[in-house]
Amino acid sequence: LWPNNPSLHPPILYGLFKDWDGKKAYDPSTLPTLIYADLRTESAKALVQMDEELTSIVKKLSQLYPKNVHMKSDFSMYHCVNENYEEQITCKWDTVTSVLTNKAFGKHKIPYTEVKGKGVVPTLKHKFFETDLPFGLCTFVDIARMIGVKTPLIDAMIRWNQKLIGKEYITKSGAIDGKDAKECVLPSQLGLTKTTLEYGFRGGSSSATEPPKK
């Protein structure tokens, strides 16, 4: 749940292409080239909402596991990027500016495929669309369902993304139980429950989650 690629790529791309039919080519002059440094308004909105949904999952987990000191950490995107890229961020006003002005992110590009004589389309055979979904978004939703947290944006991004790449992970039930769900990392399918999610199959005890004595 720590902010990483699935917390960044999907909301930014969803903000840009959520209304794309998967076929129509774009005029390249109307599209951003750099995924972070050219951040657009709708992408920024989605980025912030994604962050809110992820931190709401962490908040519920911290309530379920009150002795787990790790769940008391700040899992927000703002904290994460500023902790790891402190000297490379030129404007730390909020989450959006911290991503937008992060020099370490500055050169990362959005992959496009040229459609001869028509323009360009987002490249779907790329980790942005093929990896962040089953190994990120679907995992988040599976955990959220286990603990009763709603994730409307993440759900919407999964439905949008899976349609583009011809997969079925989330279904009308809202669960990650589609025909391709076995491709995902799903704690619930590994036999974990709300009460065992904290440790997985490692066991654990209350003492294991208390701060070490100095």
Side-chain angles (χ1 to χ4, degrees), residues 75 134 152 156 175 207 213:
F75 279 67
S207 61
K213 293 181 180 180

Side-chain angles (χ1 to χ4, degrees), residues 64-82:
L64 291 171
Y65 311 127
K67 293 183 179 180
N68 190 314
V69 295
H70 302 294
M71 289 292 99
K72 299 183 188 302
S73 299
D74 188 345
F75 279 67
S76 69
M77 177 63 70
Y78 179 83
H79 173 76
C80 179
V81 294
N82 278 284

Side-chain angles (χ1 to χ4, degrees), residues 31 37 53 107 113 120-121 134 136-137 201:
L31 297 175
E53 291 184 8
K107 295 182 180 180
T113 299
V120 298
V121 295
L137 299 184
F201 294 114

Side-chain angles (χ1 to χ4, degrees), residues 45-91:
K45 289 179 180 178
L47 181 67
V48 170
Q49 186 176 341
M50 171 83 183
D51 188 43
E52 292 172 348
E53 291 184 8
L54 277 183
T55 52
S56 70
I57 294 173
V58 174
K59 182 179 179 180
K60 183 61 179 287
L61 288 171
S62 70
Q63 294 169 352
L64 291 171
Y65 311 127
K67 293 183 179 180
N68 190 314
V69 295
H70 302 294
M71 289 292 99
K72 299 183 188 302
S73 299
D74 188 345
F75 279 67
S76 69
M77 177 63 70
Y78 179 83
H79 173 76
C80 179
V81 294
N82 278 284
E83 180 182 54
N84 288 282
Y85 301 98
E86 181 179 5
E87 297 178 356
Q88 299 185 71
I89 296 172
T90 57
C91 181

Side-chain angles (χ1 to χ4, degrees), residues 159-171:
R159 296 183 192 282
W160 163 76
N161 193 338
Q162 69 180 15
K163 183 178 180 181
L164 290 177
I165 63 173
K167 297 288 185 177
E168 183 191 45
Y169 298 128
I170 197 170
T171 62

Side-chain angles (χ1 to χ4, degrees), residues 145-185:
R145 296 293 182 272
M146 294 169 72
I147 62 176
V149 173
K150 294 182 179 180
T151 53
L153 176 64
I154 301 177
D155 294 1
M157 290 193 295
I158 293 174
R159 296 183 192 282
W160 163 76
N161 193 338
Q162 69 180 15
K163 183 178 180 181
L164 290 177
I165 63 173
K167 297 288 185 177
E168 183 191 45
Y169 298 128
I170 197 170
T171 62
K172 292 181 179 179
S173 69
I176 309 298
D177 58 2
K179 63 181 179 64
D180 300 303
K182 290 183 179 180
E183 299 175 1
C184 306
V185 176

Side-chain angles (χ1 to χ4, degrees), residues 64 141-149 186-189 191-197:
L64 291 171
V141 166
D142 190 57
I143 294 172
R145 296 293 182 272
M146 294 169 72
I147 62 176
V149 173
L186 304 175
S188 66
Q189 295 304 307
L192 301 178
T193 66
K194 184 167 69 174
T195 56
T196 61
L197 184 60

